[in-house]
C-alpha cells in the first residue's frame, strides 16, 4: 500500500469488451503517468484512493505449478478496472485519459490507413474461409470494399464530431483523412 513502490507489468489477455485497448502504447503512457502522479502526490493515494477500500486486489496465482503468475501480473479486466477506478478518484489522471484516446485514434489511422486496415481484415477473413474450405465447406467472399470502409469511417467521424471538437487537432486529422480520399 505504498504508491512509491510502483510496479507495472502489461496485463495478460485481451478484454473482449474493449478491443480498442489492444495497443500497448496508450496503456504504457497511462501507467507511467499514474506512477509519476503518486510519486509526486502520495497523499492522493493515501487520502483519496486507499480510504475507499475499493482498490482492486490481486494475489499470486500458484494453481498451475508450470505457469506461476506473480501478484503484479494481472489480466486485462483487472488492469482496466484498476485504471478506471483510479481515474475516478484522481481528476488529473482522468483528464489525461482523454489525451490517450486521441493518441490511439491518431496512431491507428497513421499506421493503418483505411485501405491497409481493410487488407488486414481481408487477409484474416480469407484465412478463416480457407479453414472452411479445408473442411469441405464454402466461406463467403470478403464483403467490404474501400468505398464501404470510407463510408463507415466518415459515418464514425460525423457521429463523433461533437466530442472531437474539444480536441480540435483530432477533428482536423479526421477532416484531412476524408479530404485525402
Amino acid at each position: 500500500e505504498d504508491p512509491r513502490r510502483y510496479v507495472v507489468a502489461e496485463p495478460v489477455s485481451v478484454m473482449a469488451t474493449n478491443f480498442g485497448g489492444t495497443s500497448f502504447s496508450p496503456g504504457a503512457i497511462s501507467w507511467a503517468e499514474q506512477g509519476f502522479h503518486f510519486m509526486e502526490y502520495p497523499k492522493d493515494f493515501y487520502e483519496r484512493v486507499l480510504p475507499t477500500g475499493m482498490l482492486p486486489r490481486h494475489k499470486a496465482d500458484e494453481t498451475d505449478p508450470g505457469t506461476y503468475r506473480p501478484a503484479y501480473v494481472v489480466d486485462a479486466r483487472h488492469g482496466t478496472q484498476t485504471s478506471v477506478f483510479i481515474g475516478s478518484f484522481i481528476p488529473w489522471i482522468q483528464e489525461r485519459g482523454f489525451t490517450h484516446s486521441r493518441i490511439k485514434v491518431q496512431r491507428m489511422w497513421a499506421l493503418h490507413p483505411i485501405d491497409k486496415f481493410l487488407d488486414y481484415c481481408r487477409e484474416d477473413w480469407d484465412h478463416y474461409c480457407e479453414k472452411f474450405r479445408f473442411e469441405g465447406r464454402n466461406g463467403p467472399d470478403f464483403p467490404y470494399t474501400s468505398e464501404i470502409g470510407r463510408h463507415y469511417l466518415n459515418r464514425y467521424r460525423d457521429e463523433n464530431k461533437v466530442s472531437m471538437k474539444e480536441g480540435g487537432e483530432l477533428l482536423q486529422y479526421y477532416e484531412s483523412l476524408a479530404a485525402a480520399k
Side-chain angles (χ1 to χ4, degrees), residues 165-181:
K165 283 183 182 176
E166 295 171 6
E169 66 201 42
L170 184 60
L171 181 58
Q172 291 171 1
Y173 184 74
Y174 271 112
E175 295 295 343
S176 72
L177 285 175
K181 300 293 177 186

Side-chain angles (χ1 to χ4, degrees), residues 4 8 13 28 31 38 55 63 69 81 83 91 109 111-113 124 128 138 140 146 150-151 165:
R4 294 164 298 177
V8 174
S13 72
W31 305 323
F38 289 128
L55 185 64
T63 56
R69 188 185 312 174
Q81 288 173 342
S83 291
W109 294 116
L111 297 173
H112 306 286
D124 202 41
Y128 285 100
N138 289 326
S146 293
R150 281 191 206 80
H151 165 78
K165 283 183 182 176

Side-chain angles (χ1 to χ4, degrees), residues 63 95 107 109 116 121-122 137 165 181:
T63 56
E95 289 170 14
R107 295 302 168 247
W109 294 116
K116 188 175 181 180
C121 293
R122 183 179 299 105
R137 301 185 216 165
K165 283 183 182 176
K181 300 293 177 186

Side-chain angles (χ1 to χ4, degrees), residues 91-108:
W92 182 82
I93 291 173
Q94 184 178 39
E95 289 170 14
R96 295 297 300 155
F98 300 125
T99 300
H100 305 156
S101 294
R102 286 190 297 225
I103 290 170
K104 282 196 267 190
V105 170
Q106 289 173 338
R107 295 302 168 247
M108 165 63 187

